[in-house]
Amino acid sequence: MNNPIHFARPIILAAVLATGVAAAPVPVAAPAPTYADLADLADKADLVVHVAVTRQTALPPERAPGVAPGFTRLYIQARTLALLAGSAPLGGSVSYLVDVPTNAKGKPPKLKKREFLLFAKPVPGRPGELQLASPTAQLPFDGALADRLRPILSELAATDAAPSVTGVRDALSVPGALVGESETQVFLGAANGEPVSLTVVRRPGMTPTWGVSYSEIVDQAARPPEPDTLAWYRLACFLPAQLPREANLSQDPASRARATEDYGFVLRQLGPCPRTLTAR
């Protein structure tokens, strides 16, 4: 996302979510960030900071290469209002670079006195300077957004936080003693190397049940994650859309088909992973 240039500040391509001219109202409100949007940002950031802009300076084009058409790069100075997440020391003020959309006259919006949530990383050796974590890492602040974000930050900081899923390692489906009875186990790769597995149990005349386990012991009593939780996000937003053929270790055609069917059942139960910031 970054474009290196010879400038004394880090260059970050980030889009302000508000649009329009100076104090003019936005005709159509931008869609609110989804749970996945906020989790994406929080997961990438070392710091989540609530700030109020005190000064903005537009960089001339020759000092801001790589800016997308219709955008201007600003050097922002802001007052620190609160640190929502992170342990890096922050003073009373911070500075960072952000690309913002311009209006029909090519002018950037006036951000002075406006409050934002920043998802950022500290710049090594430059106290008080921040590098935004992504192109959408500056969100207009409001209390409702902060309230939605806090549980995500708490889950990410927990010692037993659900790990990032890197893919499907193996899947195996075996029939039970009764006709229509089976158990499918899907073993996932995790970024931290810890075990993660899915279990789907079918019993005659009953709706299939499934759950996720985070231990070496595969537990038939494991439950599905609640929607809009970190465990749900790790699965719904990062599992492949289909069971990889090479991961299906079931031997006979019926068992292989059932493993594929059960994997699809889990995806349907998880539901979609909507994002609004990615499209912007």
Side-chain angles (χ1 to χ4, degrees):
M1 299 296 178
N2 300 342
N3 295 286
I5 62 172
H6 298 295
F7 185 62
R9 300 290 192 266
I11 297 304
I12 305 300
L13 301 182
V16 177
L17 300 184
T19 60
V21 182
V26 179
V28 179
T34 66
Y35 181 95
D37 286 324
L38 296 178
D40 287 344
L41 291 170
D43 206 18
K44 295 174 183 176
D46 296 333
L47 303 168
V48 181
V49 191
H50 178 195
V51 302
V53 175
T54 57
R55 185 176 180 181
Q56 68 182 63
T57 304
L59 302 187
E62 64 271 16
R63 303 191 74 176
V67 176
F71 283 75
T72 293
R73 184 163 296 155
L74 300 179
Y75 170 61
I76 299 293
Q77 294 168 282
R79 178 165 50 94
T80 304
L81 299 179
L83 179 63
L84 277 68
S87 57
L90 281 182
S93 62
V94 296
S95 60
Y96 58 96
L97 287 155
V98 58
D99 284 9
V100 299
T102 55
N103 62 21
K105 296 182 179 180
K107 301 294 185 181
K110 293 182 179 180
L111 305 185
K112 187 176 180 179
K113 297 183 179 180
R114 291 186 59 183
E115 297 182 18
F116 293 93
L117 280 176
L118 307 180
F119 298 80
K121 300 179 181 182
V123 178
R126 294 182 180 273
E129 293 188 14
L130 301 179
Q131 175 176 326
L132 299 185
S134 84
T136 53
Q138 175 178 271
L139 300 183
F141 176 85
D142 67 63
L145 179 64
D147 289 343
R148 292 176 57 210
L149 179 61
R150 287 188 180 95
I152 299 174
L153 299 176
S154 295
E155 282 198 274
L156 285 169
T159 55
D160 60 348
S164 299
V165 170
T166 59
V168 176
R169 292 195 292 110
D170 302 308
L172 182 66
S173 185
V174 294
L178 302 176
V179 175
E181 187 177 61
S182 65
E183 179 177 331
T184 297
Q185 297 172 2
V186 181
F187 299 92
L188 308 178
N192 64 359
E194 295 296 318
V196 182
S197 61
L198 309 173
T199 302
V200 179
V201 176
R202 294 180 180 269
R203 293 187 174 90
M206 299 178 64
T207 301
T209 60
W210 78 281
V212 56
S213 177
Y214 297 96
S215 70
E216 295 286 356
I217 301 174
V218 178
D219 185 4
Q220 284 195 358
R223 304 303 302 162
E226 291 294 325
D228 288 355
T229 61
L230 186 63
W232 169 87
Y233 164 77
R234 298 298 197 198
L235 299 176
C237 301
F238 295 99
L239 284 176
Q242 295 181 338
L243 179 66
R245 183 177 180 85
E246 65 276 9
N248 194 340
L249 303 183
S250 302
Q251 297 300 310
D252 60 278
S255 295
R256 291 183 63 84
R258 190 170 54 247
T260 299
E261 180 182 356
D262 286 346
Y263 182 81
F265 167 76
V266 169
L267 293 186
R268 292 191 297 274
Q269 292 293 302
L270 287 167
C273 172
R275 291 179 169 95
T276 63
L277 296 186
T278 304
R280 302 181 212 174

